[in-house]
Amino acid sequence: MTAFSTSSMQFYDTPIRLGISTAWITKIMRWIYKGAYPAASNFIVTAFFVTISIPVGTLLYFAVVYLKKRLIKACDTNVSINPANCEKLWYRQVKLSEVVTQIKDIPNIPLEKVPWHVSLFLKQLIVAVRAIVNYQAALEQKFQHLDKTLILPFLKA
């Protein structure tokens, strides 16, 4: 399944693409952060790591800021479900639940315990992750409400 498929159920719309991108940036940031500790023991490795991590870190920071802005616009929690968009929103909710399982621990990271350069990323990333989590929760709540109001009366009859 590709991100640019034209099938009605196999497309990734904006919130899904942005959620997946946020998960990938989170993985890259964890890799960079975990690589900083072993690199601190050797000066040559530290110098190499710093020359690589500063440009990559700057690029990731601006990518996170961009994703955060796009996510806040795309993840509107005041969504209404109607017959025209029900299938699309169900698919979105299912795909975002997969993404949320990967990134749901990010808002629980205490900012006081991380270095200042990592906290710059985390502040932006926490806002982006909360937007994804809140949007997925809002979709899940809407579908649970539909299940209670539409399906349960038919089952009782």
Side-chain angles (χ1 to χ4, degrees):
M1 184 169 6
T2 63
F4 302 109
S5 179
T6 58
S7 173
S8 66
M9 280 301 288
Q10 295 184 352
F11 67 93
Y12 287 160
D13 55 357
T14 303
I16 296 171
R17 284 194 318 253
L18 293 173
I20 292 171
S21 300
T22 304
W24 276 102
I25 287 177
T26 303
K27 289 178 185 179
I28 292 170
M29 285 177 50
R30 285 180 182 165
W31 177 76
I32 289 174
Y33 184 65
K34 287 180 181 180
Y37 291 121
S41 62
N42 187 346
F43 177 74
I44 296 171
V45 175
T46 304
F48 178 73
F49 186 78
V50 167
T51 59
I52 297 297
S53 66
I54 289 174
V56 171
T58 305
L59 179 70
L60 284 176
Y61 178 76
F62 287 121
V64 168
V65 169
Y66 174 74
L67 283 173
K68 179 190 76 164
K69 288 181 181 180
R70 295 260 332 257
L71 274 168
I72 289 172
K73 288 181 185 176
C75 296
D76 183 21
T77 56
N78 295 328
V79 65
S80 62
I81 298 175
N82 55 38
N85 69 359
C86 184
E87 183 180 8
K88 177 182 172 184
L89 290 177
W90 175 255
Y91 180 71
R92 187 183 293 175
Q93 189 265 335
V94 169
K95 285 298 177 184
L96 285 178
S97 66
E98 296 171 8
V99 172
V100 166
T101 58
Q102 297 176 12
I103 60 176
K104 67 181 175 185
D105 60 330
I106 299 295
N108 300 331
I109 297 173
L111 291 175
E112 304 84 33
K113 295 183 179 181
V114 296
W116 67 270
H117 58 280
V118 177
S119 68
L120 293 175
F121 288 110
L122 283 178
K123 287 177 185 177
Q124 301 298 320
L125 195 62
I126 286 172
V127 173
V129 168
R130 283 187 182 149
I132 295 169
V133 170
N134 291 341
Y135 183 65
Q136 191 271 337
L139 285 177
E140 188 174 336
Q141 182 181 18
K142 298 279 184 179
F143 281 109
Q144 285 178 353
H145 178 70
L146 277 178
D147 287 345
K148 290 178 184 174
T149 57
L150 297 177
I151 295 176
L152 287 180
F154 288 117
L155 292 176
K156 291 180 182 177

